[in-house]
Amino acid sequence: MLPSFDSERRRPINLGGSTPTASHASILDQARLRRIEREEHRRRADAAVVLQAWWRGVNEKAAARERLCRILEDGMDVDAGDGDGITQLRCLVLIGRDEALLGRWSSGVIANGSLLRPALGPDREHWLVLIRQMAVLLLHSVADRPQSEYAVPHLKVLTTLLDPSSFPDVGPSVPASITAYLLRRNFYEHVSTALRAIAPEAKNDPALPYLAQLTYLPLSTLSPFPPSSPASTTTPAPAPTGDLALFTHAFHALTTHILTIPLLPYRLPLPALSALAARLPLDALHVLAPWVPPPSSPPSPSSVPSPFPTTTPISSLPPPAHTPPTPLTHALAASALPHLLANLLAFAPPRYPALPAPALTTYLHLVAAILGALPPGALDADAGAPTATAWAADSDSDADADAGAPAAARQKPRLVLDARTRKRLQTLSAPTHLTALLRAVSSRSSSTSIRTHSSSSNSSSSIHALLPALLALLAAAPARKDKVLSALLAYGGGGLVREVWRDWVRGAGLGREGGSVMDPAHAPAWAPLLLLTELYTQSLLTMSDDEFFGGGRPGTGGGGAAGGAGGAGRPGTSLTLDELVEFSRMLFNIAFALYWKDSSALTGTGDTRTGTGTGDAKMDTGDTRTETGRALTERAGAGAGAGTGAWMEGTVPGAPGVRWEAARAAITRCLQAVVARDARKPFVPPGHWHVSDHIDMNLFVDAAVFEDQELSSEPTPAPLTPFPRTHRTHAPALSKRQLALFSPRLGVLNNIPFAIPFETRVAIFRRFVESDVARRYSTNAFQRNPWGRHSRGERIEVSIRRGNIAQDGYDKLAEADLKAPIAISFIDQFGEPEAGIDGGGVFKEFFTSLCKEVFDSDRGLWLANKRNELYPNPHSYATEPHSLNWYRFIGRILGKALYEGILVDVAFAGFFLAKWLGRQSFLDDLASLDPDLYQGLIFLKNYTGNMEDLSLNFTVATEEFGVAKALNLIPNGNNVAVTRENRLQYIYLVSHYRLSKQIKLQSEAFFEGLSEMIDPKWLRMFNQQELQILLGGVNAPIDLDDLREHTNYGGLYDNDEPTIQAFWKVIATFDQEQRRAFLRFVTSCSRPPLLGFKQLIPNFAIRDAGSDEHRLPTSSTCVNLLKLPRYKSAQVLRNKLLQAISSGAGFDLS
């Protein structure tokens, strides 16, 4: 058909209202929906099949269970248990956990005694298979409901099955088989669950005695060791006779699940507790050795071979030989460790005498590991609150409060424990317990003393295991440290110090010259060394110099710490001087290496190996200052825990719980105490304390000054005007621990300054002062003016009346900036200014007169001992605010003297100088203050009679204004008697009160003023004797040859001029007092400079004063100048010179 013109196809229109065709997308959607419907239908059909099958199974199971129950009921209804026992067991096992049926069965078999009958019949093997499964059901039932009505019958069945005595006709194989089956199915874990579910207060619960039996019956059944006797404690452990692997697994499970139960001894009734204590196989504790490695040899990533052969390999027990066992302290939760230790302390101490040596060694390793894993201070009264410090620790200690405490200790993590658990843990540090432990260890040694002669087997001996445990105890109980150390010192008459030194420390390579402190091979040596350090430091607190230098011989001091438990005549705790020289050098090498380690790491040069700092010290170059400054800046921003100091938070190998920082602090304390004795009476060879042979001292001085500049970051003060005394011109004081972290050289100077020669430290001190002056004047090019220290800035003009020097000085200078130049103008008795311009000499004269007045003991602020050494008056008058302000002012004035290099003609008592340095005073310091009291305390220390005859208590008598009163040394001290055990504490507290506590406020006020002028870390570079020299010069005869060699001449004078020749001949005829008066006349100080007259700036000079022989010689102390007329007669010169130096006239003498 041909198309027409309008042949365009028209769109069909469906008048029916629906579209017969569908889109492609709708077709796909419809197909997907139909597929989903089919899948849903199929799923429902399958689910219906499964549901029907399950329902049929449930019905079948219910029917079977009903049939089994009928069979079981029929059997249980038979009188006297004549039913088929095997059938009953089979039914019960198939039925499973039906508490009622299990309860009826266990009650029935216990009542009629039919439990073990099948074991004797022909179905024994079937019965054994079924009864083991039945035991598991009963165990689960008891664990879930230990206080149910059926718990006791269940437990009776279990104890019967596990007790070998229940099978006299069968033998131990049946209970052993049942025990092994249960152990593989977490037996001890279920027993632990049951015990924990019963409250500690429910001690009368009838299930507890049977649960207690379940704890030890498996070990009694499986024990491969024959019973040991006390006589065999020093012999090796007997060879195993049974399945050691299974026994070891059981013991490990008991330790981890049962002995970690809180308050275990308090949960059990007394008969059950007694049985458990007697049957617990602690004599086989050494089987846990793979899980308790010695502190000095932790498990390596490689294999840890089993110490015993196994007779029956069990795939799951213990771990394969190629897999190192996880140590108990790592496997257990941290919260379980204190309970494990408390339970061990409940059961082990009574059996110390009977424990074989291997078991005792493992026990000590375990105790050390647990203590090392506990937070520091965990055994103190309240680990979460600040604890009372030991009686030998106080604010006057030579270490910072946090110096010996690692970061973890300073954070004080809280360990929440029941009071009964904490009390049990504290028995570990009780003297009676420590004595019993020491006696047990001693009895296993080859001699009567605590020693071993086999250094090759140190890690396995009991004594070597004891030392880390004792060291860890000191870290875990710092508040009881004194009691622990006193008990150790008292044991055996005080010979432990020498035994540890001679048998464990002296022969070790640790601390030897040229050795490496960080060598892992030294791990076994650290614990003996650190414990010896703590013991010796403690003994020095109450050791007199007679005993110290007598080497602890009887009759030379009373036996040292042995006096705490023995009497005079026993060996003391002191080492001989030769031994002490060797020991102190070892400590010195270690301490210097630990302080210098930060230095080598900081600069990136040198190794950490040093006996005396060799290697890394010599490698410091000129670039060190730049690198040190950059590193210090980075570390200051990063914080104390960053950088090279992070290694100090690590633990010392072989010393559980002791961090490097604490070890370094302990060694430092001991060294400082020994050096203090050496300073009073030298006994070490020359150069013993120095490292100058190994360090370039010039570079050391430069680096130390630079580090001090970097740490002194406080902005320079504004104009030199009077300012409040709280203002400081140096950075806030850093503790010695912080200095050791940020600045190794300052750490050395503040902790072991004796490592650097005294002359070098004096030079460093003067450089510190010059650096501080430079910062004040905001210039890097400050040069010292030899004719007057300050050449810039305003002076403080002060007028002083000669008749009122002290009060005028206090009124006008108490709040002044004493670091600024001060110009003194004296006002004479007529109110007129004296002639003269203060170029420094007038101030020196004022200062000398001021010191003479304020240190006069008649003023009431100071007292003098028999050696005319001054110390603050302990009278209550001296603690009033007005008096404390005077002490503060005097401290500022003496700080000015040190700052300006002015020598002060005054001597202070050594124990008071110790307060300047933050160091501790000792018993022997009391001899200079109160000789009678000192002799009385020495008598008490050596007293061998009945202590009750002395009628002493913990009080000290004081008297003021004729009224006597007694002050308590400890809380309730008037009711605490002094006994043989606590007399060392009494001696220490009395001496501490007299030397420190009664002058505490005065000393603090004085030091507050002193520290405003002198940075405390500068003073800590010196000991008491050196500080006295720094303050007052050398108290030695005046060396005229040295003075003449460093004398300048002016005018017509030279060394060969006749008047000069006569002058030196006249001076040579003067005695020492006249020479001192002459030196005072020309320099304002009667003592020569501490480093000789070359240090007198400007040098002493003599100038021609004309030919008038009637004129007296005059002086200008500001420039150390003598103006001497040209006398023709030596006799006239002598008379005129003596008249001048004895006149005591003022500055306008000429």
Side-chain angles (χ1 to χ4, degrees), residues 73-97:
E73 291 287 347
D74 295 340
M76 290 182 179
D77 290 339
V78 178
D79 293 338
D82 290 336
D84 189 352
I86 298 298
T87 303
Q88 290 184 22
L89 288 176
R90 188 176 290 112
C91 291
L92 286 171
V93 169
L94 293 175
I95 291 173
R97 291 286 301 277

Side-chain angles (χ1 to χ4, degrees), residues 672 736 739 746-753 1016-1017 1020-1021:
Q672 290 173 340
K736 289 186 281 186
L739 285 173
L746 295 182
V748 169
L749 290 172
N750 276 261
N751 293 277
I752 50 172
K1017 68 175 179 288
R1020 289 198 296 259
M1021 295 190 300

Side-chain angles (χ1 to χ4, degrees), residues 33-87:
L33 290 174
R34 288 193 293 270
R35 185 169 59 253
I36 291 174
E37 290 176 358
R38 291 194 299 271
E39 289 293 334
E40 180 65 18
H41 179 73
R42 187 182 305 111
R43 188 185 65 81
R44 291 186 176 185
D46 293 342
V49 172
V50 172
L51 186 59
Q52 291 169 3
W54 172 80
W55 181 248
R56 288 194 300 269
V58 168
N59 289 333
E60 290 295 332
K61 183 178 180 180
R65 180 185 178 88
E66 188 174 344
R67 290 193 299 269
L68 291 173
C69 287
R70 284 198 301 267
I71 297 174
L72 189 59
E73 291 287 347
D74 295 340
M76 290 182 179
D77 290 339
V78 178
D79 293 338
D82 290 336
D84 189 352
I86 298 298
T87 303

Side-chain angles (χ1 to χ4, degrees), residues 97 333 343 676 1065 1072:
R97 291 286 301 277
N343 291 331
K1065 291 180 181 179
Q1072 286 298 325

